[in-house]
Amino acid sequence: MVNKDLLLTDVLPNVSQPARYTGHELNAGAGYRAGAEATLLLAFPDVYEVGMSYIGFKILYEIVNSNPAWAAERAFAPWPDMEAQMRIHGIPLYGLESYTPARSFDVMGFTLQYELTYSNVLCMLELAGIPVRADGRREGDPIIIAGGPCASNPEPMAPFLDLVVVGDGEEAIAEIMRETARGKREGASRAAIVSRLAKIAGVYWPQAQNHVTRRVVADLDSAEYPRKFVVPFLEAVHDRVALEVMRGCSRGCRFCQAGMIYRPVRERSMDNLCELAEALVGSSGYEELSLLSLSSADYTRIKELISKLAAEYGPQGVAVSLPSLRVDSFSIELARDVEKSRRTGLTFAPEAGTQRMRDIINKGVTEDDLISAASDAFESGWDQIKLYFMIGLPYETFEDIEGIAVLSKRVLDLGRRIAGARGKAGRVRVNVSVSSFVPKPHTPFQWFAQDSREQLEQKQSYLRERMRARGLSVSFHDVWASHLEAAFARGDRRLAPVIERAVSLGCRFDGWSDQFKPGLWQQAFADTGLDSSVWANAEYGYSDALPWDHIDMGVSRAFLVREAHRAASGLTTPDCREADCSGCGVCRGDVRVRLAGAFAGSPSQGGGQA
Amino acid sequence: MNGASIVRVRLGKGDEIRFVSHLGFMRAFERAVRRARIPVAYSEGYHPHPKIQFATALGVGMTSEAEYLDMELAPVDSGDLCTHDVFERLRLAAPPGMPIIAVCALEGRPTLASSIEWASYRVDVHPTARPELEDAVREFLLSDHAIVEVNTKSGQRRADIRPMVREIRWSGSGALECTLACGGRAHLRPQDLMAHFHSMQGRRGEPEQRHGSIARSCIHRTGLYFTDRGGGDLASPMSVECRDLVMAGS
């Protein structure tokens, strides 16, 4: 155990938000026991408030802790002020449940949610006193495993990881714990346990560069889901009951990695959702219940679900919320049901400014959809709308960028006219957030180059000049951050030394604009003699070997190529829930589209409703 | 025992949650109320809030056995809920570090925040620091005024803190026990008093007090008090206009 007295009296009083580091939250487990058959430290490479919002860890935490023979704890990246204190006082990274040093655990599991958290992974290993490179670890060091969406191309991080879990973790985690326990019981060496774990389906062993197929939980209803959440005292980014209504999205936006790597759509049944809601609201006391998924408005029985939950929990002071809305009138209808008491802004993501561009990216949204959604929203009394767009998309012209300004102003004018009728035109705000396209592995756009930083900057200023109007505001994602995200998303092992160098130069929390230091990253690339544009700005050929070819996410390469060609011709591909099977190749065996708990038709017949 | 429409709750803030902010502490209590299925009344409007009124904020880093709040129960459902029920349900639902100490029913309207005038604290002092501190405390108590710079939200302000100190004494175990003005009219934070003692000893601004509200020495709140209108004696918030008192261990 770390020196708790030192921590409480000399360390925590000197850092911001000390409650990030003290644990003891409601529903937290007891944590590490020397006698446990296998122990796991769930490590989130970002700050507590972000990590505590992540449902994946809640699921894995529950699965491991519900087995009395195992124990799981949590650790988050310490904010730089805490990191400095830990280094000064020699306090190692520890689990929040029992203050046990990270080094004492059998397995340390990182989630890779975002490329710009890679520096924090290395920093956490350093603080834990664990050799950063897998080949430097010895008997007694924890086995370092990573998972999460970035596991779909773990190559830039490969030298730091003993193993990588690709896909859904619910089943794999239990197998990993069981196999680890067996290895310990039999007195197997660390290396022997690693090689045994590498045989588990969905586990990638960077040292062997094996071909790996993504793990998919076929039926969410029968998969484990927590009945209780750890409830933080510190306000998490998403501080509420998160009810995962479904996993996967088949809308098929061609830039969207999540829309490809979580296929097929697997909805939970209404019964299952109501039962989980009851347990989670009762055990947490949360004031908000959020229906989580990539596109919750697509849940087959969403209206019925919302009215049922709102009727049940509204009187108890619990608001039902939807984290994301589709761009259509139906979504506004839903928003009215759930947002009765919450007149905050609404957010829509048309993603592109012209129909031509939206067809290229297969965002099945028309200008009419947006206008009717926005007008319904203004009519219903909302006066703030947020719009998400992307620039730098494949085949983009300046006309498409101008289209973002035109569309945004049209929404603004509409709002001012509608709110003007109530005498409130002045209160209408349209806030536009513009990110830069990042080509991601396992998407139809994986072969495309990202625009150079100069191009993106030019496009940003071109758009900024056209977005000047009262009530209209625009914000842009940092170009350097998007550039690095692209380099690491499409990167290979040659990038590992750059990450190491950047960490030693002081890079941390690169996803935080106030912490991000592009100059240090530039220096890290220069020091290692590498050029980031080799990965970010190079177009890959359809016949080129890609760094992530050996990671099979289920969606076939042929489908991705076909989609890339259709993009080039401006052809859209409909959602397989509403039309014929688009042949993405993910459905096989038990794994298929499941709508509200029922089986959809077999993939060969198209994924219609059962 | 009759049903209660307003209950007053005394609760503690334990070591394990001493770094939780006042806002976090309030939120955690509200969630405990929801888990306890206590039918609390909600405010009207777009953002309905449970009608729970805390007495006064406790500095981050301190512990307490004397946090108080008034909670209004929804008139429709609470007919049969007595203070014993409220106490038991809260006790079972409260998170770690939030012991429920006592519950009583309130006769009048909630007046907690405006009625508190004094707070008592216990400050653990390291034995090596005690002799010097004893001198400072003695000198302080003999003086009529103590003008100090006090940090407030709006910047630094000069204030005479001597009248804000009602009592200071040393406990048998060597801790400093003090009763300080608390509330809207006059307020003295214990860490500011301790900082003043340090400066009397010629030690300027301890570096570890960088975050202001957290003193190195362990500060524990032991009581909050009204002033008795007649004699000016201290009165517990659970002794005025209260009935059906239920206490831990009773």
Side-chain angles (χ1 to χ4, degrees):
Chain A
M1 207 170 98
V2 299
N3 185 339
K4 216 165 163 175
D5 284 344
L6 180 72
L7 197 65
L8 294 182
T9 57
D10 289 333
V11 175
L12 294 181
N14 298 323
V15 302
S16 56
Q17 303 287 11
R20 284 169 177 163
Y21 313 107
T22 50
H24 293 296
E25 305 93 328
L26 179 81
N27 297 330
Y32 186 88
R33 296 182 313 282
E37 287 177 19
T39 55
L40 168 70
L41 181 63
L42 291 164
F44 195 98
D46 206 322
V47 76
Y48 177 89
E49 296 92 313
V50 175
M52 284 301 290
S53 306
Y54 170 52
I55 186 67
F57 264 11
K58 294 181 200 286
I59 296 174
L60 301 181
Y61 186 80
E62 182 68 15
I63 290 174
V64 173
N65 281 329
S66 66
N67 185 323
W70 303 336
E73 298 204 19
R74 298 159 295 146
F76 303 90
W79 197 248
D81 61 349
M82 179 63 172
E83 183 198 336
Q85 290 285 318
M86 290 167 80
R87 289 184 190 274
I88 289 168
H89 293 281
I91 294 174
L93 186 77
Y94 58 90
L96 288 183
E97 277 69 12
S98 72
Y99 293 54
T100 299
R103 268 193 59 92
S104 307
F105 289 82
D106 299 321
V107 177
M108 192 170 171
F110 283 94
T111 181
L112 305 179
Q113 294 285 307
Y114 179 37
E115 290 80 359
L116 298 191
T117 63
Y118 290 173
S119 60
N120 282 3
V121 174
L122 269 62
C123 175
M124 288 171 81
L125 286 171
E126 252 181 55
L127 286 172
I130 297 169
V132 165
R133 282 188 171 254
D135 58 17
R137 294 185 196 126
R138 298 285 171 263
E139 206 58 45
D141 285 325
I143 296 168
I144 307 301
I145 304 183
C150 294
S152 63
N153 176 22
E155 288 306 316
M157 289 291 285
F160 313 120
L161 306 171
D162 292 308
L163 298 166
V164 178
V165 176
V166 179
D168 296 336
E170 282 101 332
E171 295 159 352
I173 192 72
E175 292 162 28
I176 286 167
M177 296 302 281
R178 211 171 293 131
E179 202 55 48
T180 303
R182 190 169 73 91
K184 279 173 72 183
R185 204 166 46 236
E186 294 170 2
S189 68
R190 181 183 187 279
I193 296 177
V194 168
S195 63
R196 282 184 191 183
L197 295 177
K199 295 196 180 79
I200 294 172
V203 173
Y204 172 60
W205 192 8
Q207 194 191 312
Q209 299 212 45
N210 55 308
H211 181 275
V212 62
T213 305
R214 169 186 155 229
R215 288 299 287 267
V216 185
V217 170
D219 176 17
L220 292 188
D221 278 2
S222 52
E224 285 197 60
Y225 199 79
R227 259 66 178 175
K228 57 187 195 323
F229 284 171
V230 176
V231 181
F233 289 103
L234 207 60
E235 192 171 11
V237 176
H238 302 300
D239 205 12
R240 56 202 184 194
V241 170
L243 197 57
E244 189 191 29
V245 294
M246 59 180 174
R247 202 171 291 176
C249 172
S250 51
R251 301 204 142 237
C253 300
R254 290 174 179 134
F255 57 84
C256 179
Q257 189 185 48
M260 298 292 156
I261 66 170
Y262 294 114
R263 288 177 176 221
V265 169
R266 289 152 287 159
E267 295 186 349
R268 285 178 191 279
S269 68
M270 290 277 286
D271 287 349
N272 180 240
L273 288 169
C274 291
E275 187 233 308
L276 290 174
E278 180 66 18
L280 286 166
V281 169
S283 62
S284 69
Y286 269 127
E287 49 287 323
E288 187 179 341
L289 171 65
S290 178
L291 304 179
L292 186 76
S293 77
L294 293 168
S295 178
S296 295
D298 287 343
Y299 180 74
T300 323
R301 297 164 74 182
I302 187 70
K303 244 188 120 70
E304 195 186 340
L305 179 65
I306 286 174
S307 57
K308 209 167 166 179
L309 294 174
E312 180 72 29
Y313 300 109
Q316 299 178 30
V318 181
V320 179
S321 70
L322 279 174
S324 61
L325 290 177
R326 289 186 329 216
V327 187
D328 58 23
S329 291
F330 176 69
S331 293
I332 304 305
E333 222 177 292
L334 295 178
R336 268 202 303 265
D337 289 347
V338 299
E339 304 255 340
K340 263 174 203 147
S341 59
R342 285 165 190 264
R343 290 282 141 121
T344 47
L346 287 185
T347 302
F348 299 114
E351 307 289 3
T354 60
Q355 194 56 48
R356 188 190 78 89
M357 197 71 238
R358 284 190 297 271
D359 287 347
I360 289 170
I361 63 176
N362 202 42
K363 182 85 191 180
V365 167
T366 63
E367 184 154 343
D368 284 350
D369 291 333
L370 177 63
I371 294 305
S372 82
S375 89
D376 284 2
F378 290 125
E379 301 271 8
S380 307
W382 275 281
D383 45 32
Q384 279 198 39
I385 284 187
K386 188 164 187 173
L387 299 175
Y388 281 128
F389 289 103
M390 244 187 278
I391 54 170
L393 287 159
Y395 309 111
E396 182 179 65
T397 65
F398 277 91
E399 205 175 301
D400 297 310
I401 297 172
E402 184 155 23
I404 295 174
V406 172
L407 199 53
S408 304
K409 282 179 180 163
R410 225 188 126 188
V411 171
L412 178 72
D413 290 343
L414 182 73
R416 292 176 68 90
R417 202 164 64 238
I418 294 170
R422 300 193 297 267
K424 287 181 176 165
R427 285 177 51 176
V428 172
R429 294 276 175 287
V430 176
N431 301 317
V432 180
S433 175
V434 183
S435 63
S436 299
F437 165 68
V438 177
K440 290 274 170 125
H442 310 284
T443 67
F445 288 167
Q446 63 181 355
W447 293 279
F448 287 83
Q450 186 181 51
D451 277 350
S452 69
R453 294 190 303 277
E454 295 72 25
Q455 282 170 312
L456 289 175
E457 267 153 19
Q458 194 194 352
K459 287 179 175 180
Q460 287 189 351
S461 55
Y462 178 88
L463 182 54
R464 192 180 286 112
E465 280 165 26
R466 280 158 184 76
M467 293 289 273
R468 291 188 220 280
R470 214 181 125 234
L472 188 65
S473 76
V474 60
S475 63
F476 292 96
H477 279 210
D478 186 273
V479 165
W480 252 104
S482 300
H483 174 75
L484 280 181
E485 189 184 338
F488 289 115
R490 300 173 86 220
D492 55 50
R493 281 185 200 197
R494 286 172 291 167
L495 284 169
V498 182
I499 303 172
E500 263 174 323
R501 180 67 188 141
V503 171
S504 72
L505 290 170
C507 291
R508 306 282 188 276
F509 290 95
D510 301 302
W512 293 69
S513 54
D514 58 340
Q515 300 293 321
F516 182 49
K517 300 177 189 80
L520 293 186
W521 277 102
Q522 259 174 295
Q523 193 188 327
F525 274 99
D527 290 352
T528 45
L530 295 168
D531 178 3
S532 52
S533 62
V534 166
W535 294 275
N537 306 121
E539 194 170 306
Y540 295 157
Y542 290 124
S543 53
D544 287 355
L546 302 177
W548 52 90
D549 272 347
H550 51 298
I551 314 280
D552 176 3
M553 297 305 286
V555 173
S556 75
R557 187 189 178 98
F559 170 73
L560 296 180
V561 172
R562 200 157 63 235
E563 280 296 292
H565 288 319
R566 290 177 72 86
S569 322
L571 291 172
T572 59
T573 302
D575 188 329
C576 67
R577 279 169 292 187
E578 287 149 16
D580 287 347
C581 170
S582 51
C584 73
V586 83
C587 294
R588 40 186 109 146
D590 271 359
V591 174
R592 59 174 85 185
V593 177
R594 282 168 197 244
L595 300 179
F599 277 96
S602 72
S604 56
Q605 297 162 339
Q609 276 172 250
Chain B
M1 215 180 319
N2 297 321
S5 64
I6 300 173
V7 290
R8 179 161 290 172
V9 180
R10 177 177 178 169
L11 65 168
K13 186 175 183 186
D15 210 29
E16 54 272 67
I17 62 166
R18 60 194 284 188
F19 291 109
V20 170
S21 68
H22 184 58
L23 193 68
F25 188 74
M26 290 196 295
R27 201 166 37 221
F29 181 78
E30 287 175 14
R31 288 172 182 166
V33 169
R34 212 170 282 113
R35 288 192 298 275
R37 295 188 179 271
I38 293 171
V40 67
Y42 279 86
S43 63
E44 302 290 319
Y46 278 154
H47 298 280
H49 278 287
K51 290 189 175 173
I52 299 172
Q53 195 187 98
F54 276 77
T56 176
L58 182 73
V60 174
M62 296 180 201
T63 54
S64 172
E65 58 192 83
E67 298 308 293
Y68 289 89
L69 60 91
D70 288 342
M71 173 164 67
E72 207 174 313
L73 303 184
V76 208
D77 318 311
S78 60
D80 300 313
L81 209 61
C82 65
T83 52
H84 189 266
D85 296 334
V86 173
F87 178 86
E88 271 307 310
R89 290 198 199 179
L90 278 179
R91 194 179 61 80
L92 292 171
M98 195 185 271
I100 305 298
I101 298 167
V103 172
C104 67
L106 201 63
E107 296 289 357
R109 292 185 301 112
T111 51
L112 203 45
S114 55
S115 308
I116 297 292
E117 291 187 38
W118 297 96
S120 58
Y121 302 90
R122 187 180 67 233
V123 184
D124 288 335
V125 177
H126 199 272
T128 55
R130 188 169 159 177
E132 270 191 276
L133 189 57
E134 272 181 6
D135 292 344
V137 169
R138 198 174 305 117
E139 190 189 326
F140 179 86
L141 289 175
L142 286 171
S143 60
D144 294 327
H145 300 283
I147 310 293
V148 300
E149 296 274 340
V150 181
N151 289 316
T152 65
K153 275 176 195 156
S154 46
Q156 284 216 324
R157 189 171 55 84
R158 290 176 73 76
D160 183 1
I161 62 168
R162 181 62 190 86
M164 296 189 226
V165 179
R166 187 179 171 113
E167 188 186 19
I168 300 180
R169 60 193 192 94
W170 291 93
S171 77
S173 61
L176 189 75
E177 293 181 338
C178 55
T179 304
L180 312 179
C182 177
R185 266 158 298 209
H187 191 90
L188 177 59
R189 305 187 308 171
Q191 66 270 35
D192 289 338
L193 180 65
M194 295 310 290
H196 177 62
F197 290 149
H198 282 299
S199 71
M200 288 171 72
Q201 298 163 38
R203 295 196 213 151
R204 287 262 155 223
E206 298 260 301
E208 61 267 35
Q209 292 181 8
R210 202 155 52 85
H211 285 280
S213 56
I214 306 163
R216 179 186 188 131
S217 35
C218 175
I219 301 176
H220 179 74
R221 181 136 80 190
T222 52
L224 284 181
Y225 306 98
F226 298 168
T227 313
D228 185 46
R229 282 191 205 97
D233 290 341
L234 299 186
S236 150
M238 290 203 158
S239 67
V240 187
E241 294 187 329
C242 290
R243 59 181 171 85
D244 301 339
L245 177 67
V246 180
M247 282 178 13
S250 69

